[in-house]
Amino acid sequence: MGKDSTTRFALFSVSDKQGLVPLAKTAIQAGYTILSTGGTARVLREAGVEVTPVSEVTDFPEILDGRVKTLHPKIHGGLLANRSVDAHLETMRELSIPDISLVVVNLYPFEQTVARDGVTLEEAVEQIDIGGPTMVRASAKNFASVAVVVDPSRYPDVMKELDAFGAVSE
């Protein structure tokens, strides 16, 4: 990863790209390093935002046509580690697990997909999100250390907090 153990990471993995670039730029200004997955990383990179691909952290490529991207101990360890437990912090250092303290994720548009006329079962099944809900639940479990943002309408509020405090309070 090339980052020291004090680096704070923000993980971006969204289906709805609305407002994504300004939020990422604000997070970088607040001192975060951006981790991201496939399409989200591409959009950010094209906008000139420096992004570290999740696969660089995990040392494992996205596989199975993108079905597996973030389901990895280095990602979920970074979400679930209790920062008040020395043994957790030591494990993070030993295994180069990033300190992910901000997660920006929204889920695949399953409802919109199945509402379309003529949608096939295969199309519908591919819109069942696994990694997104898993990251949301992991972040929620560790709410004291990880802020999770799932709704693009909240991005302006998050950017205000990042500008004012360098972090997100809730």
Side-chain angles (χ1 to χ4, degrees):
M1 277 183 326
K3 303 289 180 184
D4 65 51
S5 62
T6 60
T7 301
R8 292 184 309 160
F9 290 88
L11 176 56
F12 283 65
S13 183
V14 298
S15 59
D16 182 347
K17 310 296 192 267
Q18 164 191 329
L20 175 67
V21 172
L23 178 58
K25 288 180 177 180
T26 302
I28 288 170
Q29 289 172 342
Y32 287 88
T33 295
I34 306 296
L35 303 177
S36 192
T37 57
T40 303
R42 186 171 34 261
V43 167
L44 291 172
R45 224 178 274 112
E46 288 171 359
V49 175
E50 186 176 336
V51 176
T52 300
V54 165
S55 59
E56 188 176 305
V57 172
T58 63
D59 198 29
F60 204 87
E62 291 184 13
I63 60 170
L64 306 176
D65 298 322
R67 283 183 167 199
V68 179
K69 301 175 232 189
T70 57
L71 298 171
H72 191 279
K74 283 196 174 179
I75 299 303
H76 288 278
L79 297 175
L80 289 165
N82 184 335
R83 276 45 165 206
S84 66
V85 175
D86 288 340
H88 286 206
L89 297 175
E90 181 59 28
T91 297
M92 290 175 76
R93 280 189 293 276
E94 286 175 7
L95 300 177
S96 298
I97 294 173
D99 178 354
I100 302 171
S101 56
L102 175 61
V103 175
V104 180
V105 61
N106 46 66
L107 309 183
Y108 296 162
F110 182 77
E111 287 184 48
Q112 295 97 317
T113 300
V114 296
R116 285 193 340 246
D117 285 337
V119 67
T120 67
L121 178 60
E122 183 178 279
E123 290 170 324
V125 165
E126 288 308 314
Q127 294 303 308
I128 298 172
D129 199 332
I130 305 300
T134 304
M135 288 187 292
V136 169
R137 296 293 296 218
S139 300
K141 181 171 183 153
N142 202 15
F143 69 91
S145 298
V146 182
V148 61
V149 185
V150 298
D151 184 351
S153 72
R154 295 293 316 266
Y155 293 177
D157 295 330
V158 172
M159 292 186 325
K160 285 178 189 168
E161 287 205 24
L162 288 170
D163 280 338
F165 308 111
V168 181
S169 62
E170 352 179 315

